[in-house]
Amino acid sequence: MKRLERKINIGISACQLGAKVRYNFKGWDMLGYLKREKELFIWHPICPEVLSELGVPRKPIRLVGGNGDDFWDNKAIVKNSNGQQVNHEIIRGMTESLEFLKRVKADVFIYMEGSPSCGVYRTTLKNSRLGKPPGIFGSLLLKENIFLIPSSDLQSPIKWWDWRRRMYAYIWLKEQNFEKADEIYEIWHTLKFLVQEINRQNADEIGRKLSMLKTYDFQKRNEIKKEIMDLLRKPSSTEKIKNMLWKNYKYLSKKYGLKSEKIMEPSELRNITHLAEEVLEIEKLSNLESLSFGSSPISIMLKKD
Ligand code: SF4
């Protein structure tokens, strides 16, 4: 069983931590959904538009001529609803926001999807239109080694569990430096069930590359590490979670005698809340017995202050 032994630094769009910093004085406390679990992390709220000195309340802004990437390539501009260009303010504020995240050593950023600034895969709140993703700050975040989570997924216990286990695995892997040549195989052994669940085909491809890896080829080793990290950013699905949970449970129960009345076969009907309870139960039981649970291979163990 592998563990992270420190608190994770998480940056978050300030309006998702309850600060009323949106252009219209709104904000939502999405961390309320995590209940006491939120105490496991150190939170760093930031509002890139407020740091751009646009203030609250302010005129909403929009990208003109392209997306956030285009903005940083000088191919798009940002205007407020009065038609005024606010490029200079935005460049300063968003660059400072990224500097802030680097200063606090943020491993993760929880972003508000749908914002022209913090949005990553959507820059409008109207579901029928994706806008022009990524947003201006989202574009900067995507270029960094920061694990990105949409705040709306904090509402769903199973989606949050999926993000949380991949986040631990991502950060743990990021911290591995492969001092010894064979460490990559141990790492792969730890993470492969999770990666297989996310994308079986890509996982098999990684296994194939590892079998052909030359001992001295550090560059290739780092490429494979990057490939695994990129896969860990991708969400799983309820079906895949159910199937892999059952596979892992059967293994743990046969090999170590782990038993739980809660765990159901993949074909049995249950709601999402029950599935979240199942994965949390196996996670808890395997942690207690110091067993590795393939679906959630990295846990967090904090030293008492
Ligand atoms: S989405 Fe980002 S820029 Fe917009 S109010 Fe929230 S924190 Fe500020």
Side-chain angles (χ1 to χ4, degrees), residues 65-198:
N67 63 14
D69 293 339
D70 298 322
F71 175 77
W72 295 109
D73 286 343
N74 291 322
K75 293 178 193 150
I77 55 169
V78 181
K79 282 186 173 178
N80 67 20
S81 57
N82 273 354
Q84 288 166 321
Q85 204 187 110
V86 285
N87 284 13
H88 291 303
E89 295 83 344
I90 288 284
I91 288 171
R92 204 169 46 225
M94 308 254 164
T95 313
E96 276 176 17
S97 299
L98 186 65
E99 285 303 314
F100 168 80
L101 290 183
K102 287 183 180 171
R103 261 198 327 271
V104 299
K105 298 188 171 55
D107 307 288
V108 179
F109 189 77
I110 297 188
Y111 61 92
M112 185 189 155
E113 194 66 304
S115 151
S117 298
C118 292
V120 174
Y121 301 108
R122 205 154 44 79
T123 52
T124 165
L125 287 177
K126 289 175 193 131
N127 284 333
S128 54
R129 290 167 50 220
L130 294 171
K132 294 170 188 155
I136 313 150
F137 191 52
S139 162
L140 294 183
L141 292 169
L142 280 168
K143 293 186 185 94
E144 301 293 324
N145 255 350
I146 298 177
F147 191 80
L148 301 174
I149 304 178
S151 60
S152 53
D153 281 358
L154 270 52
Q155 297 174 71
S156 153
I158 195 68
K159 283 188 181 168
W160 166 242
W161 178 81
D162 179 35
W163 282 108
R164 200 240 299 134
R165 66 178 175 150
R166 289 182 289 106
M167 165 176 95
Y168 287 171
Y170 181 94
I171 295 168
W172 177 79
L173 176 58
K174 189 163 99 174
E175 290 177 353
Q176 305 302 310
N177 50 20
F178 306 140
E179 274 168 10
K180 292 185 207 132
D182 54 1
E183 269 171 355
I184 188 142
Y185 300 103
E186 285 175 38
I187 285 164
W188 180 239
H189 183 71
T190 304
L191 300 178
K192 78 173 172 196
F193 290 109
L194 174 55
V195 180
Q196 280 171 352
E197 181 193 309
I198 298 165

Side-chain angles (χ1 to χ4, degrees), residues 2 7 13 19 31 48 61 116 159 199 249 258 272 282 290:
K2 302 282 192 268
K7 281 201 169 187
S13 299
L31 293 199
I61 57 163
K159 283 188 181 168
N199 189 315
Y249 174 62
L258 198 102
I272 297 293
I282 296 292
S290 291

Side-chain angles (χ1 to χ4, degrees), residues 7 31 34-43 302:
K7 281 201 169 187
L31 293 199
L34 301 191
K35 304 197 177 88
R36 290 195 59 191
E37 199 183 1
K38 66 178 176 226
E39 291 162 23
L40 283 177
F41 312 109
I42 303 171
W43 297 95
L302 301 176

